[in-house]
Amino acid sequence: MVDFVADYHRDIESFPVRSQVKPGYLRPLLPDSAPAEPETVEDVFADLWSKILPGITHWQSPKFFGYYPCNVSTAGMLGEMLCGGLNVNGFSWITSPAATELETIVLDWLGKLLHLPEEFLSTSGKGGGVIQGTASEAVLVVMLAARKRALKQVSSAAQGMSEAEALSKLVVYSSDQTHSCVIKACQVASIATENFRPLPTDASTNFALSPAVVRKAIAADVEAGLIPFFLCGTLGTTSSAAVDPLEELGDIAKEYGMWYHIDAAYAGNACICPEFRHYLNGVEKADSYNMNPHKWLLTNFDCSTLWMKDSEFLLAALSNKPVFLRNEATDNNLVVDYKDWQIPLGRRFRALKLWMVMRLYGTSGLQSFIRSHVSSAKHFESLVRADSRFEVMAPMTFSLVCFRLRTLPGSQDTSNSLNSKLVDALNRKGNILVTHTELSGIYTVRFAVGATHTELQHVQAAWEVIQAEANHLLNGKQ
């Protein structure tokens, strides 16, 4: 298997980046039921090469520029091997003390590298970090904590309101650029979907959330008898890597007694570099902060790091102590049991991956990795700006370039349809992979530099592919 993985990474550029198969391709290739007798590993590997790999979109290809990256590294793979080899279920301290304690320590390491406030570290006594699977899980658990706190506040205010009535009045605020995980968290946390406020953004703020818009929305809801309880700011939105005004949003959250969460899933990783740390200013006003080392910090999926200033309401929302899980260390409050910081009971020893990455790369190596991608993205942006047929659609802050192809005078294509055809053509041929979004209703091509193996030469080659496809489209040879 090690040889297979090594050969795969060696030859990865030979595969079309996006899988070329059709829906349902695999069922005719495999038996209708599991084998009655054991098969040889050679037969399994043969099927892996001939039947499974054709259905893989190659996220680790240096020609993958879609979505946001999903990093891999030798250090991360070693940690993953250890995690699978030891195969502990570290839901509480007693089930594997090293699993709990290493996670606490490496989250403190990373928190210090980000210069997070002391309250977010385990040494503060109230706060600390935890590894979730994804940012979607992170925002859900903090929303449940926020809900618990809000309902307690309403109850303490003696407003004569039942919990069910109060729950129906809770309101969540974010920008219309915030990741869809926030609305999903609302759905799971029983927050009425009509009480979710994805507030509008536009180019005037570079698609960041306007504090004035937030204040206006909150004031209207308070006037209507609703209860603002959760505000999500974003550092590096999915569509354009916009950065919300985190400090101003923190002031608003404090004024209205709201839980303030910062989603920095992608761009937060860049804040380990001093030149990007200022984008995180305002985190000291947040209740919780999340980023994904599996996106852009060389740590194999899944590894989403979440920090809390105070775990009180998280534990109140998620903790339970069945008799069969009780033990002396837990009963005497001597330890952290991470089962109470997440939705499921069971949990993998994911801290091994982050520990090995931070040790084998060091701070300097991780910073160099981030900077190389930012530099390559700047080069790509300069190429786009130098070609008058294209335009950049949003400022490039980290390693995402948003652009589109302009239509020619007299063209039958609208701008949106032309750029949709461009993305489809690029991905269909498999030479590179890009994805799209809409900014103020305008179809926009996203070019995200961040795959582990991507170097400047791949970015340059990708631009040449894009130019060639643009030539075909504009000359009517699609």
Side-chain angles (χ1 to χ4, degrees), residues 237-387:
T237 58
T238 301
S239 286
S240 65
V243 179
D244 288 337
L246 301 181
E247 293 192 79
E248 294 91 333
L249 295 183
D251 291 335
I252 295 171
K254 182 178 180 180
E255 180 180 339
Y256 286 92
M258 304 167 67
W259 187 285
Y260 182 33
H261 176 65
I262 296 176
D263 174 7
Y266 153 69
N269 294 281
C271 294
I272 67 168
C273 300
E275 64 268 32
F276 292 111
R277 175 56 180 79
H278 67 279
Y279 289 111
L280 194 48
N281 290 348
V283 69
E284 66 277 2
K285 300 177 182 181
D287 294 284
S288 50
Y289 171 76
N290 168 242
M291 71 178 222
N292 291 348
H294 66 233
K295 272 191 167 65
W296 202 17
L297 211 61
L298 290 166
T299 307
N300 292 39
F301 187 83
D302 54 351
C303 183
S304 181
T305 48
L306 170 66
W307 289 268
M308 312 275 295
K309 268 188 180 174
D310 189 338
S311 63
E312 176 188 354
F313 289 101
L314 180 68
L315 296 177
L318 298 177
S319 178
N320 57 57
K321 296 180 179 179
V323 64
F324 53 83
L325 294 183
R326 293 185 61 179
N327 61 84
E328 183 179 356
T330 295
D331 289 348
N332 290 318
N333 295 316
L334 299 176
V335 295
V336 171
D337 287 339
Y338 279 126
K339 70 178 179 61
D340 299 327
W341 293 53
Q342 63 175 25
I343 300 298
L345 171 66
R347 63 194 333 265
R348 302 171 67 238
F349 196 173
R350 289 175 293 210
L352 284 169
K353 295 183 287 187
L354 190 56
W355 182 57
M356 296 202 71
V357 166
M358 295 185 76
R359 292 190 66 183
L360 296 182
Y361 280 89
T363 298
S364 62
L366 295 173
Q367 290 173 336
S368 295
F369 176 72
I370 295 287
R371 287 168 178 151
S372 69
H373 286 150
V374 174
S375 176
S376 293
K378 286 181 179 178
H379 175 70
F380 183 84
E381 183 192 34
S382 71
L383 295 173
V384 174
R385 292 189 182 279
D387 190 329

Side-chain angles (χ1 to χ4, degrees), residues 201-218:
T201 62
D202 58 39
S204 68
T205 60
N206 294 328
F207 302 100
L209 185 55
S210 163
V213 171
V214 178
R215 286 189 177 278
K216 182 178 179 180
I218 292 176

Side-chain angles (χ1 to χ4, degrees), residues 9 120 192 393 443:
H9 281 270
F120 283 110
M393 297 297 294
Y443 189 103

Side-chain angles (χ1 to χ4, degrees), residues 38-323:
E39 297 183 347
T40 67
V41 71
E42 289 79 11
D43 287 342
V44 174
F45 271 108
D47 281 352
L48 187 58
W49 278 111
S50 64
K51 299 171 184 176
I52 302 303
L53 271 187
I56 294 295
T57 289
H58 301 282
W59 283 71
Q60 305 314 317
S61 171
K63 300 180 289 185
F64 185 101
F65 302 102
Y67 308 102
Y68 277 134
C70 185
N71 280 169
V72 67
S73 66
T74 300
M77 283 189 274
L78 291 173
E80 192 69 70
M81 289 174 67
L82 271 176
C83 181
L86 296 174
N87 202 37
V88 303
N89 188 356
F91 53 81
S92 63
W93 179 86
I94 197 68
T95 62
S96 274
T100 295
E101 296 194 16
L102 184 62
E103 184 161 335
T104 300
I105 290 166
V106 295
L107 266 292
D108 281 351
W109 282 7
L110 187 53
K112 290 175 182 178
L113 191 54
L114 292 163
H115 297 284
L116 293 183
E118 182 71 24
E119 300 98 307
F120 283 110
L121 305 181
S122 67
T123 50
S124 71
K126 291 185 176 181
V130 59
I131 297 177
Q132 303 285 342
T134 65
S136 299
E137 295 170 41
V139 74
L140 172 58
V141 298
V142 298
M143 189 175 292
L144 291 172
R147 187 183 75 172
K148 178 67 75 172
R149 187 178 77 174
L151 293 176
K152 181 179 180 180
Q153 289 170 342
V154 171
S155 175
S156 300
Q159 298 179 10
M161 190 183 303
S162 69
E163 182 171 303
E165 184 181 1
L167 182 60
S168 71
K169 293 179 178 292
L170 297 182
V171 186
V172 172
Y173 304 85
S174 72
S175 88
D176 60 2
Q177 302 297 302
T178 301
H179 194 274
S180 58
C181 65
V182 177
I183 180 61
K184 179 176 281 191
C186 290
Q187 293 168 323
V188 177
S190 298
I191 306 302
T193 53
E194 62 267 24
N195 287 359
F196 172 57
R197 305 281 184 264
L199 302 174
T201 62
D202 58 39
S204 68
T205 60
N206 294 328
F207 302 100
L209 185 55
S210 163
V213 171
V214 178
R215 286 189 177 278
K216 182 178 179 180
I218 292 176
D221 285 333
V222 171
E223 179 69 20
L226 299 176
I227 305 171
F229 91 106
F230 190 91
L231 173 61
C232 182
T234 305
L235 196 172
T237 58
T238 301
S239 286
S240 65
V243 179
D244 288 337
L246 301 181
E247 293 192 79
E248 294 91 333
L249 295 183
D251 291 335
I252 295 171
K254 182 178 180 180
E255 180 180 339
Y256 286 92
M258 304 167 67
W259 187 285
Y260 182 33
H261 176 65
I262 296 176
D263 174 7
Y266 153 69
N269 294 281
C271 294
I272 67 168
C273 300
E275 64 268 32
F276 292 111
R277 175 56 180 79
H278 67 279
Y279 289 111
L280 194 48
N281 290 348
V283 69
E284 66 277 2
K285 300 177 182 181
D287 294 284
S288 50
Y289 171 76
N290 168 242
M291 71 178 222
N292 291 348
H294 66 233
K295 272 191 167 65
W296 202 17
L297 211 61
L298 290 166
T299 307
N300 292 39
F301 187 83
D302 54 351
C303 183
S304 181
T305 48
L306 170 66
W307 289 268
M308 312 275 295
K309 268 188 180 174
D310 189 338
S311 63
E312 176 188 354
F313 289 101
L314 180 68
L315 296 177
L318 298 177
S319 178
N320 57 57
K321 296 180 179 179
V323 64

